[in-house]
Amino acid sequence: MFPLERRYVRDVERAHGLPSARRQARRDLASGVRYLDNYYERYRLCVELDGKSSHPPEQKWRDADRDNDNLFRDGVQTVRFGMRDVTTRRCAQARRLATLFMRRGWDGAGLRPCGDGCPVRPHSPESGEVP
């Protein structure tokens, strides 16, 4: 696992109690076999992590083709994060992901702030509010 992937799992997903993804999930798409960094099958969501070394600028269009294939095939939406998103913006991104998960059927069980000042809040199904 690369440092960017470790940071995402530790600082975004686990630290905030988000659902766990299937890592490097194999998908057979129209454009060929692809491996998704973090695939949340139940929620039809994929989080791709784009580091400079593993995702050079010329790969941008191949990534877009794969993202489109995911969406057109069965409605899997792709969100892309870089190092800044999983470090300095980790709490804000966790909150945004929690909102997406809840829109797609997650009950918010386990959602929590990672520490003081974290904008993520436990979900209260009675309130109908998202984090």
Side-chain angles (χ1 to χ4, degrees), residues 41-54:
E41 187 170 10
R42 179 176 177 188
Y43 306 105
R44 296 182 335 278
L45 185 65
C46 171
V47 173
E48 288 292 316
L49 302 168
D50 296 343
K52 288 181 182 177
S53 63
S54 60

Side-chain angles (χ1 to χ4, degrees), residues 14-86:
R14 290 182 185 156
H16 296 96
L18 296 172
S20 294
R22 198 171 75 192
R23 316 284 179 223
Q24 295 303 311
R26 180 188 165 110
R27 299 253 305 165
D28 296 309
L29 302 170
S31 59
V33 173
R34 300 290 182 257
Y35 292 88
L36 307 181
D37 291 342
N38 298 281
Y39 181 41
Y40 302 89
E41 187 170 10
R42 179 176 177 188
Y43 306 105
R44 296 182 335 278
L45 185 65
C46 171
V47 173
E48 288 292 316
L49 302 168
D50 296 343
K52 288 181 182 177
S53 63
S54 60
H55 293 84
E58 63 271 10
Q59 188 171 332
K60 176 182 176 183
W61 295 112
R62 285 188 300 250
D63 290 344
D65 285 344
R66 178 182 59 192
D67 296 348
N68 290 341
D69 282 347
N70 276 324
L71 187 59
F72 295 143
R73 177 176 172 221
D74 52 10
V76 173
Q77 182 179 3
T78 301
V79 176
R80 292 189 168 276
F81 290 150
M83 184 60 84
R84 185 176 70 139
D85 295 307
V86 303

